[in-house]
Amino acid sequence: MEGMRSAFTAAKLTSLLGVFLAVSVLMGIIGAGLLAPVVGAAGFAAREGVGMFDRLPGDLDQNPLAQQSKILAANGKVLATPAKQNRIIVESKDISQNMKDAQVAIEDERFYQHGGMDLEALARAVVSNATSDNTQGGSTLTQQYIKMALKEEALKNRDAEALSQLDARSGMDGYVRKLRELKYAVTLEERLTKDEILVGYLNLAFYGDNVYGVEAAARHYFNTSAKKLTPSQAATLAGVVRSPTATNPVANPELAQERRDTVLDKMYAQKMITKKELKEAKAVSVTELIEGNLRDSQRSCINSQNPYFCDYVTAWLMQQPALGKTPAERLETLTTKGLTVETTLDLEMSKTLGQMLREATPKNKYHVGSAGSVVEPGTGHVLAINQSSKYSFEESSDKVVKTAVNWNVDSAYGGPGGMQIGSVAKAYTLVEALEKGIPVEATLKIDKPGLADSRGVWLDNPENPQPMPADGETHPVGVFKKEDFQEGCTLGDPVWTVRNAEDKNHDEQVKLRTAAGLSINTAFATLASQVGTCDIRDTMIKLGIHQGNGAEPDPFPPSIVLGSDYGAPLTVAASYAALAADGLYCPPVPVTKIIDSAGKEIPFEKPECEQVIDKEVALGTVELLKGVVAPTGSGWRAILDGNRPAGGKTGTNDNSSHTWFAGFTPQLSTAIFVGNRIGNSQPYDGDMVDLQIGDTYVDGPLFGSSLAAPTWKKFMDWAHRELPVEDWEKPSAEILNGKRVTIPQVIGMTETAAQEALRDAGLTGSIQRVASGQPEGTVVFTTPGVGSSIDTATPVVLHVSTGVPAPAPAPAPRPAPGPTEPEPDEPEPSAPPTTDPPTIEPPPDDGGGGGGGPGNPDPPGQDGKDD
């Protein structure tokens, strides 16, 4: 046994030759390739060792340390610190002397005396390792810093070979590693001051529990800064570095405390602290130091004050070319470069919005949740987004109470693909009507309703009459045909039947103000047929409306007119903000500034605002939408305190699964969504009728006016509590009342061509079928007649041939002979009605109602629902 041990010791002595050579080199014993007389293999090894040392690089080319970035709210408070490593780089002045002393005391007590290599410690380690089974390290703090820096670089570059070399402890690889670290250390000591080396070490070191660098560690364990660390706190951190897993203060407080006390003893022995300070520092246990102070890392958004906004900002940054050419490069920049991202988020506003949404839709059996977005008109700044759910990657079974899916944004930013916007879409038909010259005070001529069953089948279709349904349930409907709409943006089937909410408001004439205020489906379908559905779609796109998956609105009337497309609350809020800002559309933007770790601003692609509609048109649209937020409007529950000027629109799809109120003042634009069937959330099997949600009872169907409108009012009243009352300018007389134009010559045209001619003249034209031998679809005459001078507020009726002449009347008794009058060439058109339509009582709902039935199957990409 003794012989084996001697052989082992001899082998160790031989294998440590490289280390002795390195020591000799740095002591001057080896110099300029010369060595004291050695012979044989030892001489050859020495010469090779000298050559190897001379050839090793001396300068450490280290890239900047990976450090956490900061995402800030508008008031400067930290929302999150995205990082691969939870590290915050600090300068020397921001690190307490206690921390510097503690790290030196435990790792390298002669740090301030040596030049990068402690010969005494190295020689002692060599002798100990050669003559015993114990292994001692002779590394200085500078050498440890070098090794950490090289490891950091290898990890960053995913260099497995370099990592393997850094871990080499024996053989030639071990000697090379040691020699390289020694040479780096000596060179580094020549270039940097001791304090610079120590600060670099403290910023680089791993302190366990997923924190890197002393500043992140101080915040994490003790809720303080590196500048304020006490001797006890500093000693705790300094003791962790050698074995961060075993001495983790959270996982192993006993071992951490034992190690801390060792550090404190060394600090006392080196006269860094007094005996009184030693006693006081040891008197507090590590558990007591941490208790109540431990802070979660905000490396991800989950711990943010608004994780949904944080996720949105992160996804938005991943689309910024200024951070890199690819998403992977941008993520690397965000998580390693120490950026400061200043956002638009108003923390108090966002928090209050979330509270109000949770109050409006607490946990309920209908799986109804709510979401809201707030955008500043004129800038596009996203001031707040929130929702009623609790942020969690472990979703609740209904995926409504708990979810990490952000309901407010497009799928490109982590959203569910949007929700059907319902009658929110009607605002764009109003914009297009005003652009075409139809004034605010216009009167619409509405065709007499047809009759449909509960599925929307047109029962009294003269070309295909249907039997009465077995259940006897029928509804009055507006009947629209393919040819009523612009080619390219028309129906998929020949007929579309449109219902109004509660089967009301089927008057033959209705003022545009009334149609807007009560959200009358048949009136809007009629108006859309007159102003052009493709043109409305173009206006929607100009004003930023798109589907939740990023696609343009579908080119079908149910989508264009009644909002069966799926959109996100943030999209709607930004679009409506353009109406509030006199037609200036600003794409939503959550970030105002990006600053790099050196304090230099990084220019990025900020979306530009654009005047997309004429200011007068915007003012006219606001004038009409003010009528919604009025005692006689569908949004009467949204009237703001003190009758503060506001405009808005309710929205409801035909099964009440998605309801909205989107509205604005000159200062804020807010879209509130309330509903179920959000993305892949669990559906509710019953009808959305007579609901008890929290303290609110919804009598009848759930409409946009039921919960969304009151929630919008509650929030907007709070948000405007300190804002001045502002109003818009009055629209011009022409926008309000129109102008006089001449009815163009449309006799003999097809109804499509005639409608286009009327649109070009700033007029609306409704269709009335008349028996005539003229070709089917041909305009026979108009009311008022062609060439008449009328206000653009006056509707024109196009009398269109059915292609079938009226039957000849029965012969009348021959009159007594007398003077005769010539037959007129064509019937004398009757004068347009001059009386106003009947007064309509304010409804408790928002004009929602069923849409197409089997006669109008869903066009591709949407399900045919309307407001």
Side-chain angles (χ1 to χ4, degrees):
M1 182 63 121
E2 187 64 33
M4 290 180 63
R5 181 170 296 174
S6 298
F8 176 72
T9 302
K12 289 188 72 176
L13 282 169
T14 302
S15 69
L16 287 168
L17 176 60
V19 177
F20 278 121
L21 290 172
V23 174
S24 300
V25 169
L26 296 171
M27 293 177 66
I29 298 173
I30 299 175
L34 301 175
L35 180 66
V38 288
V39 295
F44 174 75
R47 288 192 297 275
E48 285 300 303
V50 172
M52 180 184 298
F53 190 82
D54 286 341
R55 290 193 299 271
L56 285 173
D59 289 328
L60 178 64
D61 295 326
Q62 183 191 0
N63 290 328
L65 286 179
Q67 58 178 311
Q68 65 178 217
S69 294
K70 293 184 291 184
I71 298 176
L72 308 179
N75 64 359
K77 290 190 176 180
V78 176
L79 288 175
T81 53
K84 279 188 175 179
Q85 296 178 347
N86 184 17
R87 175 184 285 116
I88 303 168
I89 304 299
V90 287
E91 298 177 10
S92 177
K93 64 183 178 61
D94 296 316
I95 303 175
S96 74
Q97 191 60 44
N98 290 323
M99 187 65 223
K100 294 176 182 179
D101 290 345
Q103 205 72 67
V104 168
I106 192 63
E107 296 297 342
D108 188 358
E109 63 185 67
R110 279 180 290 278
F111 173 67
Y112 291 103
Q113 283 77 51
H114 63 65
M117 180 183 68
D118 187 340
L119 299 179
E120 180 182 337
L122 184 59
R124 185 173 61 248
V126 168
V127 173
S128 174
N129 294 341
T131 58
S132 72
D133 294 337
N134 296 323
T135 301
Q136 279 192 19
S139 295
T140 64
L141 189 146
T142 306
Q143 290 170 250
Q144 292 177 44
Y145 173 49
I146 293 293
K147 185 173 182 178
M148 286 192 295
L150 291 171
K151 188 172 185 179
E152 176 81 11
E153 194 72 10
L155 287 170
K156 185 184 295 182
N157 297 328
R158 296 189 174 97
D159 190 337
E161 184 179 351
L163 282 171
S164 176
Q165 291 173 356
L166 286 169
D167 290 332
R169 293 185 175 274
S170 61
M172 184 56 68
D173 285 344
Y175 302 147
V176 171
R177 174 186 69 81
K178 197 69 175 179
L179 285 170
R180 181 177 58 196
E181 290 172 10
L182 287 168
K183 188 165 186 180
Y184 276 141
V186 171
T187 306
L188 195 67
E189 291 266 2
E190 292 174 351
R191 291 196 296 110
L192 302 179
T193 67
K194 290 288 186 179
D195 190 63
E196 286 172 333
I197 293 170
L198 179 56
V199 169
Y201 178 102
L202 293 171
N203 275 315
L204 184 59
F206 177 49
Y207 288 95
D209 220 32
N210 207 32
V211 287
Y212 294 78
V214 66
E215 178 68 17
R219 295 187 187 189
H220 175 63
Y221 291 118
F222 310 122
N223 191 27
T224 189
S225 66
K227 191 173 186 176
K228 297 178 180 178
L229 286 168
T230 65
S232 186
Q233 293 169 335
T236 302
L237 295 183
V240 170
V241 177
R242 183 72 62 86
S243 184
T245 300
T247 57
N248 181 322
V250 176
N252 300 301
E254 295 84 2
L255 286 177
Q257 183 166 321
E258 183 179 325
R259 179 72 172 163
R260 179 205 65 179
D261 290 349
T262 300
V263 176
L264 288 170
D265 288 339
K266 284 186 170 290
M267 291 176 72
Y268 174 68
Q270 296 170 47
K271 296 182 170 52
M272 294 174 174
I273 56 175
T274 65
K275 189 159 190 173
K276 179 183 178 183
E277 288 173 324
L278 172 67
K279 185 177 180 181
E280 290 174 348
K282 285 186 174 182
V284 183
S285 69
V286 165
T287 300
E288 290 172 322
L289 286 177
I290 294 174
E291 193 172 24
N293 292 316
L294 190 66
R295 292 293 179 269
D296 288 333
S297 162
Q298 287 189 326
R299 287 181 59 209
S300 73
C301 289
I302 194 167
N303 298 312
S304 170
Q305 294 185 62
N306 189 323
Y308 294 109
F309 181 85
C310 179
D311 275 350
Y312 164 54
V313 169
T314 302
W316 189 88
L317 289 168
M318 291 303 97
Q319 298 184 19
Q320 296 304 310
L323 301 186
K325 294 180 180 179
T326 66
E329 289 180 11
R330 294 163 197 160
L331 182 62
E332 182 76 11
T333 299
L334 180 63
T335 57
T336 65
K337 301 300 184 184
L339 306 181
T340 298
V341 180
E342 298 180 7
T343 76
T344 58
L345 184 72
D346 184 317
L347 267 177
E348 185 183 12
M349 182 181 290
S350 185
K351 180 180 178 181
T352 302
L353 176 62
Q355 291 171 343
M356 291 181 178
L357 292 169
R358 286 186 287 275
E359 290 169 3
T361 57
K363 185 176 181 181
N364 57 84
K365 66 180 182 180
Y366 317 105
H367 312 312
V368 169
S370 56
S373 295
V374 187
V375 172
E376 183 177 51
T379 66
H381 288 176
V382 182
L383 302 181
I385 60 172
N386 221 319
Q387 59 197 61
S388 59
S389 62
K390 180 181 179 181
Y391 186 91
S392 174
F393 293 115
E394 296 180 2
E395 294 186 309
S396 54
S397 59
D398 61 0
K399 299 185 179 181
V400 171
V401 174
K402 292 197 299 183
T403 181
V405 177
N406 187 346
W407 301 336
N408 279 284
V409 298
D410 291 342
S411 53
Y413 302 111
M419 290 73 78
Q420 285 184 305
I421 64 175
S423 281
V424 165
K426 289 175 180 170
Y428 309 105
T429 298
L430 296 177
V431 171
E432 189 59 33
L434 293 170
E435 284 194 328
K436 290 287 173 59
I438 298 170
V440 169
E441 304 299 351
T443 298
L444 305 177
K445 176 73 169 64
I446 313 296
D447 286 347
K448 289 183 179 180
L451 198 64
D453 63 16
S454 58
R455 298 173 301 160
V457 176
W458 184 18
L459 300 176
D460 51 359
N461 183 346
E463 298 177 8
N464 185 22
Q466 299 292 314
M468 291 293 288
D471 59 8
E473 183 181 347
T474 62
H475 305 275
V477 292
V479 178
F480 297 88
K481 298 183 177 181
K482 226 176 183 183
E483 55 268 26
D484 290 333
F485 304 103
Q486 278 180 307
E487 188 176 350
C489 300
T490 190
L491 303 171
D493 268 20
V495 174
W496 178 33
T497 58
V498 178
R499 282 180 61 189
N500 289 336
E502 301 178 350
D503 294 333
K504 294 180 178 179
N505 303 322
H506 283 283
D507 303 285
E508 291 187 24
Q509 288 191 81
V510 60
K511 287 186 175 295
L512 184 57
R513 279 187 182 273
T514 303
L518 297 179
S519 194
I520 301 172
N521 290 340
T522 52
F524 273 90
T526 299
L527 184 61
S529 73
Q530 295 168 355
V531 302
T533 39
C534 285
D535 297 337
I536 296 170
R537 185 169 181 256
D538 290 344
T539 292
M540 296 172 78
I541 294 169
K542 282 194 303 184
L543 283 162
I545 286 294
H546 54 265
Q547 300 196 62
N549 61 6
E552 292 182 348
D554 280 334
F556 310 109
S559 303
I560 296 165
V561 183
L562 303 181
S564 60
D565 271 347
Y566 287 71
L570 182 57
T571 299
V572 172
S575 181
Y576 267 45
L579 301 177
D582 296 337
L584 182 71
Y585 174 68
C586 301
V589 57
V591 172
T592 56
K593 191 179 290 185
I594 303 174
I595 302 169
D596 66 18
S597 59
K600 184 179 179 181
E601 187 170 347
I602 299 175
F604 62 95
E605 294 182 1
K606 292 183 181 179
E608 296 293 330
C609 298
E610 184 180 356
Q611 190 75 34
V612 294
I613 58 175
D614 183 77
K615 176 181 177 180
E616 285 296 330
V617 170
L619 291 174
T621 306
V622 170
E623 181 71 16
L624 288 167
L625 294 180
K626 279 184 172 183
V628 176
V629 193
T632 57
S634 63
W636 61 275
R637 287 192 176 98
I639 297 173
L640 298 179
D641 289 351
N643 288 314
R644 179 187 287 268
K649 191 71 196 70
T650 48
T652 309
N653 68 348
D654 68 353
N655 62 12
S656 292
S657 60
H658 297 164
T659 73
W660 296 76
F661 192 88
F664 49 80
T665 65
Q667 296 105 318
L668 298 175
S669 175
T670 300
I672 300 292
F673 164 82
V674 175
N676 58 16
R677 300 178 185 268
I678 311 167
N680 63 347
S681 68
Q682 182 179 347
Y684 173 64
D685 293 334
D687 295 329
M688 298 298 287
V689 178
D690 299 334
L691 313 178
Q692 182 70 51
I693 300 178
D695 296 331
T696 303
Y697 177 73
V698 177
D699 187 10
L702 180 68
F703 287 111
S705 59
S706 304
L707 283 174
T711 304
W712 182 91
K713 169 189 164 49
K714 185 178 180 181
F715 170 76
M716 292 290 270
D717 280 336
W718 176 88
H720 287 82
R721 68 198 184 283
E722 296 178 355
L723 296 180
V725 175
E726 294 183 10
D727 200 353
W728 295 269
E729 300 173 27
K730 279 292 181 185
S732 66
E734 187 172 303
I735 287 287
L736 285 171
N737 303 307
K739 58 184 177 181
R740 294 197 70 81
V741 298
T742 300
I743 298 177
Q745 173 55 264
V746 293
I747 305 301
M749 289 185 179
T750 65
E751 62 180 278
T752 301
Q755 288 275 36
E756 194 66 37
L758 290 179
R759 278 195 287 270
D760 290 343
L763 295 167
T764 60
S766 61
I767 305 297
Q768 184 173 314
R769 311 285 169 183
V770 296
S772 169
Q774 296 292 325
E776 183 181 2
T778 301
V779 176
V780 179
F781 64 98
T782 66
T783 304
V786 167
S788 299
S789 176
I790 63 172
D791 290 331
T792 51
T794 304
V796 176
V797 180
L798 297 173
H799 299 270
V800 177
S801 172
T802 62
V804 180
R814 184 180 296 276
T820 60
E821 294 183 5
E823 293 279 340
D825 291 334
E826 62 181 43
E828 185 71 28
S830 58
T834 57
T835 57
D836 290 343
T839 302
I840 303 171
E841 294 297 322
D845 55 70
D846 62 347
N856 176 38
D858 302 340
Q862 57 91 30
D863 57 9
K865 296 166 185 174
D866 58 30
D867 188 17

